[in-house]
Amino acid sequence: MLRINPRQIQNPRTHIPSPNVSDFGRGDTQHPYHRMPYQHAFLLCLLAPLISAFTQARFTSSEYAALNSSVGGRLFKGTPLSLPCVPSNKIHPGNCSQVQSEYLDEDFRTSHPGAYVVPQWETCQTTGAQCLLDYTDTLDLAPVTPPRQCLMGSIPPYFIDVQSEEDVRAAFEFSKRLQVPLVIKNTGHDYKGRSSAPHSLALWTHNLKNISYDPAFVPEGCSTPSPGVTLGAGVQWQDAYDFAETHNITLVGGSDKTVGAVGGWLQGGGHGMLSNTMGLGVDRSLQFKVVTPDGQYRVANACQNQDLFFALRGGGGGTFGVVMESTVLASPQVTLQVVMVTFASTNDTALTRELWNTMTANGLQWAEDGWGGVATSNVAIYINPKLGPAEAAKSMSPLVEFGQKLQSDQIEGAQVISTSFESWGTFFEWFAADNVAITGVSLALVSRLIPKDNFATAESQAELVEGLLNTTVVTPRLIILITAPSSYPGDNTTSVTEAWRSSLYHVTAVSTWNWNATKEDKKNAYAQASASIDNLRRITPDAAYQNEADVYEPNHEVSFWGSNYQRLLEIKNKYDPQHLLDCWHCVGWKRSAPRFSCYL
């Protein structure tokens, strides 16, 4: 989920080292953070009171020591991102400065085990337990200064730095024996809290960074070759795009560089600006290697474990097993035609209406012509991998003419850009410099898939634009993602809702709050976001993208999976009958489970 910003965003990219808080003896030297500067002296003083509420009287240190031994010394304790800023920390004050300067930086957050891009999932929203800074002034330490405490909230008290399937087997056995909830975390790009839970054990897949390319990849047990790129579970899209550039190939992925390529993005469907013509992420999945809750390391593709392959292609992450790697289809490098129109004002309703009228009036034709993209109230960016420059100019003439009219009317900041990029990677480098995920800000995110029917007539177009405008009144940060696979029919072997195929837009909106919001404030923010998207729910079928949907999405089973839900539930019960894996609004979830105690 992106924040479109017409100005280039300059963020420092240095990383804070994540702390080694393992106290399991010989394992310390094997942990990837054993060289980090703030360790035992500081943490022996501070960590015990931080996590005592989560571990007291639950399990003995010997049980965790045994688990640590079984995973090669790679069990470590979770810590809040802002812990170094607790005033009683006088040992390494420089670390607090780094936290403050990079608190809103996505690279920084996604590399820290205890941090989440949306920080409410570091907190317990029902009790107020948290360790956050003020995102409007990260230099202010009042949020972590007594009498306020720095508490774990919903951060898992223990993490395993996963390196092999044996680590996952050990975690499943531990969970089964001691009834410890499991969560799977890579980057923390998680808008529904599925990768954090109080009292849990987290499987941190972030360091599974293997990437390889086989121009004639054959899924195991199959015979037909396809060009494929194999991605470890920790690979992020920037890594994958850089790799694709060096091999002159195209990977269809997300629009934010730090999102994981294999986890929730892919397993939840996975959309991007190339999806109109090249499909969703799940359309391009060739094979998964996954550890299922029975401890088996399985290969799932079109020729073996086909039911599991179906489930992993849209059934949602953190549900059917722990994916260690996936192989996805690689396409030849494509030249992209790009058209952008933008103007300065974000609250000129008349200009926004005119922009969206232009978009909806031409939406069906542009989708057929191969255009995908993203838009807000004052920006529209369209890309096309199919057309040449002349064809693109003809197709996009209504938008270009609108932009030229803005310029002739001397509208502040009016720009019209028509250009070409030699590859997706070069376009993404340009795009990502100006557009990043909202990071370090607690928020309620809601979404809706907008079907082709809403673009069919002048009346339905007007109704849609009115619905979009009414949504922005309540939640101004509305984003129109033109990322539905409307020109890519698929083969009916994925488990996402069928509504993706008949949609043109995926629309998101957010409502935010700060560190000092009350429980009632948070409830109101969720309610406000939901009421906002009701303006679109009223004129569309039940359909939303599960990874970016309302935390309290009504009729979520239909909205996320359509007619596929019952089959997914059967597959869930087959591979995970004890429900060792469970997450909010996931297939077969149990709302009453203690792991959900921090949800409002």
Side-chain angles (χ1 to χ4, degrees):
M1 195 277 297
L2 297 173
R3 170 180 57 206
I4 304 299
N5 190 333
R7 298 182 300 275
Q8 183 167 355
I9 294 172
Q10 298 290 343
N11 279 330
R13 295 303 180 191
T14 53
H15 291 263
I16 186 170
S18 299
N20 173 15
V21 292
S22 174
D23 58 359
F24 301 108
R26 67 179 181 84
D28 288 350
T29 60
Q30 301 179 46
H31 192 272
Y33 297 115
H34 70 270
R35 293 184 293 274
M36 300 310 169
Y38 53 98
Q39 294 186 336
H40 301 287
F42 164 55
L43 289 162
L44 285 176
C45 295
L46 288 180
L47 194 60
L50 288 173
I51 67 169
S52 62
F54 299 98
T55 59
Q56 205 169 41
R58 289 176 65 81
F59 313 113
T60 67
S61 60
S62 63
E63 288 169 328
Y64 280 101
L67 176 60
N68 182 57
S69 178
S70 70
V71 297
R74 280 175 279 99
L75 179 72
F76 61 99
K77 290 178 180 177
T79 58
L81 179 67
S82 301
L83 179 60
C85 291
V86 174
S88 57
N89 170 26
K90 304 297 183 183
I91 300 174
H92 299 289
N95 290 316
C96 178
S97 297
Q98 199 168 22
V99 170
Q100 290 172 305
S101 66
E102 300 191 57
Y103 192 79
L104 305 180
D105 182 89
E106 60 176 336
D107 284 325
F108 171 56
R109 279 189 170 269
T110 58
S111 67
H112 192 291
Y116 293 77
V117 169
V118 181
Q120 79 243 42
W121 305 119
E122 301 167 24
T123 78
C124 189
Q125 297 174 90
T126 54
T127 66
Q130 64 183 36
C131 190
L132 303 180
L133 297 184
D134 181 347
Y135 75 82
T136 67
D137 181 8
T138 59
L139 298 181
D140 180 9
L141 296 185
V144 291
T145 299
R148 299 183 180 93
Q149 295 177 290
C150 180
L151 300 173
M152 289 288 286
S154 62
I155 298 170
Y158 288 93
F159 288 76
I160 296 173
D161 175 25
V162 173
Q163 295 293 317
S164 71
E165 60 269 24
E166 293 300 330
D167 297 338
V168 180
R169 288 193 184 104
F172 278 131
E173 193 281 329
F174 186 83
S175 174
K176 192 180 303 183
R177 184 166 57 88
L178 296 176
Q179 303 300 302
V180 178
L182 295 175
V183 296
I184 306 167
K185 182 179 188 286
N186 173 20
T187 66
H189 264 278
D190 182 357
Y191 295 102
K192 301 192 73 172
R194 296 170 298 184
S195 55
S196 69
H199 317 299
S200 64
L201 172 63
L203 295 168
W204 194 42
T205 62
H206 190 65
N207 291 317
L208 297 173
K209 298 289 192 182
N210 55 293
I211 309 180
S212 61
Y213 171 52
D214 184 347
F217 174 79
V218 179
E220 295 182 26
C222 300
S223 58
T224 303
S226 303
V229 172
T230 298
L231 305 165
V235 173
Q236 293 162 273
W237 276 120
Q238 183 65 72
D239 308 323
Y241 295 151
D242 290 345
F243 180 86
E245 284 295 292
T246 65
H247 291 82
N248 298 315
I249 55 176
T250 301
L251 296 177
V252 174
S255 300
D256 192 84
K257 64 180 183 176
T258 62
V259 170
V262 169
W265 181 90
L266 179 59
Q267 294 166 55
H271 67 94
M273 283 189 268
L274 292 174
S275 291
N276 173 37
T277 54
M278 300 178 74
L280 296 172
V282 289
D283 291 318
R284 303 172 63 85
S285 300
L286 301 175
Q287 180 169 279
F288 293 92
K289 291 189 176 180
V290 55
V291 184
T292 47
D294 59 4
Q296 296 296 308
Y297 189 42
R298 302 177 188 271
V299 175
N301 56 40
C303 304
Q304 59 179 307
N305 295 311
Q306 292 94 331
D307 56 348
L308 187 57
F309 189 48
F310 169 81
L312 293 172
R313 296 173 76 198
T319 303
F320 303 96
V322 180
V323 172
M324 305 297 288
E325 67 177 37
S326 179
T327 303
V328 299
L329 182 66
S331 296
Q333 197 168 82
V334 293
T335 298
L336 295 177
Q337 306 304 320
V338 177
V339 175
M340 182 178 80
V341 170
T342 181
F343 50 92
S345 176
T346 60
N347 55 15
D348 189 321
T349 302
L351 289 180
T352 297
R353 183 187 296 275
E354 194 171 353
L355 171 63
W356 289 350
N357 281 341
T358 303
M359 291 170 53
T360 55
N362 295 278
L364 291 173
Q365 184 60 54
W366 286 347
E368 186 177 328
D369 291 346
W371 295 95
V374 60
T376 64
S377 60
N378 67 324
V379 178
I381 303 173
Y382 280 83
I383 71 171
N384 195 307
K386 288 173 54 177
L387 302 181
E391 296 171 303
K394 180 179 179 181
S395 175
M396 271 286 140
S397 59
L399 183 62
V400 171
E401 289 167 5
F402 167 71
Q404 292 171 339
K405 178 177 179 295
L406 295 178
Q407 291 177 319
S408 66
D409 292 343
Q410 297 184 326
I411 299 299
E412 182 183 357
Q415 294 184 68
V416 182
I417 296 174
S418 297
T419 188
S420 298
F421 286 85
E422 63 185 13
S423 66
W424 164 260
T426 56
F427 166 78
F428 184 78
E429 183 179 2
W430 170 80
F431 177 83
D434 291 346
N435 306 288
V436 298
I438 299 176
T439 302
V441 181
S442 296
L443 57 84
L445 173 65
V446 291
S447 72
R448 204 66 176 169
L449 294 179
I450 310 298
K452 295 177 182 178
D453 288 349
N454 290 87
F455 300 79
T457 67
E459 291 75 18
S460 62
Q461 294 163 18
E463 183 181 51
L464 173 57
V465 170
E466 202 62 34
L468 293 168
L469 289 169
N470 289 337
T471 301
T472 63
V473 171
V474 185
T475 51
R477 298 182 184 92
L478 179 143
I479 299 177
I480 300 170
L481 296 125
I482 308 147
T483 54
S486 53
S487 298
Y488 193 95
D491 59 5
N492 296 316
T493 63
T494 66
S495 48
V496 293
T497 173
E498 304 92 333
W500 270 111
R501 310 294 171 188
S502 57
S503 296
L504 289 190
Y505 290 172
H506 159 53
V507 176
T508 67
V510 299
S511 180
T512 63
W513 61 90
N514 208 340
W515 70 274
N516 55 353
T518 66
K519 182 177 178 180
E520 206 58 37
D521 291 336
K522 298 167 193 174
K523 285 183 177 180
N524 289 339
Y526 283 112
Q528 179 187 48
S530 190
S532 170
I533 208 70
D534 278 345
N535 289 293
L536 298 176
R537 285 186 179 127
R538 282 190 287 268
I539 61 173
T540 59
D542 283 342
Y545 178 44
Q546 59 182 289
N547 289 335
E548 297 175 349
D550 190 343
V551 171
Y552 304 100
E553 178 72 25
N555 200 21
H556 75 279
E557 295 167 356
V558 171
S559 287
F560 301 162
W561 298 291
S563 65
N564 293 318
Y565 183 77
Q566 190 57 44
R567 184 181 174 193
L568 285 169
L569 184 60
E570 292 168 2
I571 297 169
K572 169 69 174 177
N573 291 333
K574 173 183 175 180
Y575 288 99
D576 188 16
Q578 294 178 275
H579 288 251
L580 297 182
L581 295 176
D582 196 9
C583 48
W584 187 269
H585 274 185
C586 294
V587 171
W589 76 310
K590 299 183 183 301
R591 173 65 179 91
S592 60
R595 65 186 298 140
F596 301 128
S597 61
C598 287
Y599 284 80
L600 295 172

